[in-house]
């Protein structure tokens, strides 16, 4: 079992920055990957950024490259998402997730169904 708890969301204005945190506890050593996802009202959950623990590589949604950065603090078992130059279309609930079971297809950590544990989410609202 892995427990994930997001924090750092809030209401900001266009162009502002936010840093989200995800504190992991439990069997964190069994994780293959961790990532950030988001879900806007009426839309499907989508990938934001993920990190593969095996080789340390990161993957970002194309539309977010250059504005969002995923990072970790391993001793603290914490995952971060730095979000800069926020736009109204970034408004969503942001979730962190971890993959603890391998999937039989490549790059499974790039997809929402590749994850086994999810946090409760934190709301980010960007307005003018």
């Amino acid at each position: 079992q892995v427990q994930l708890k997001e924090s750092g969301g809030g209401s900001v204005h266009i162009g502002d920055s936010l840093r989200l945190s995800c504190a992991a506890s439990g069997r964190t050593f069994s994780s293959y990957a961790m990532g950030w996802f988001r879900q806007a009202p009426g839309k499907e959950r989508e990938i934001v950024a993920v990190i593969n623990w095996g080789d340390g590589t990161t993957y970002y949604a194309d539309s977010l490259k250059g504005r969002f950065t995923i990072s970790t603090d391993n001793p603290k078992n914490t995952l971060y998402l730095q979000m800069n130059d926020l736009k109204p279309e970034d408004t969503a609930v942001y979730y962190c997730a971890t993959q603890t079971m391998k999937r039989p297809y490549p790059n499974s950590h790039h997809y929402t169904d590749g994850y086994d544990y999810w946090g409760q989410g934190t709301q980010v609202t960007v307005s003018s």
Side-chain angles (χ1 to χ4, degrees):
Q1 289 281 347
V2 178
Q3 294 78 42
L4 302 172
K5 176 65 176 175
E6 305 93 339
S7 61
S11 295
V12 297
H13 295 107
I14 294 172
D16 285 351
S17 297
L18 272 178
R19 188 176 80 158
L20 305 183
S21 300
C22 174
S25 60
R27 296 175 62 86
T28 57
F29 58 87
S30 63
S31 174
Y32 293 103
M34 284 189 75
W36 288 98
F37 298 79
R38 69 184 185 182
Q39 187 166 18
K43 295 188 177 181
E44 293 187 353
R45 193 170 298 188
E46 63 177 3
I47 191 172
V48 173
V50 300
I51 184 165
N52 182 335
W53 293 133
D55 57 14
T57 56
T58 56
Y59 173 82
Y60 293 86
D62 287 341
S63 61
L64 301 177
K65 288 178 183 177
R67 292 196 300 123
F68 288 17
T69 304
I70 189 171
S71 63
T72 65
D73 184 337
N74 290 340
K76 294 184 178 179
N77 286 332
T78 302
L79 184 73
Y80 300 102
L81 182 69
Q82 178 66 42
M83 305 186 294
N84 298 327
D85 189 24
L86 285 162
K87 306 176 187 299
E89 53 265 38
D90 296 320
T91 295
V93 178
Y94 285 72
Y95 299 90
C96 72
T98 185
Q99 180 188 69
T100 59
M101 292 182 287
K102 280 289 193 181
R103 290 345 191 235
Y105 49 91
N107 296 322
S108 59
H109 62 293
H110 291 186
Y111 305 98
T112 55
D113 62 1
Y115 288 79
D116 305 293
Y117 293 96
W118 293 81
Q120 297 282 341
T122 185
Q123 176 71 45
V124 173
T125 302
V126 185
S127 60
S128 57

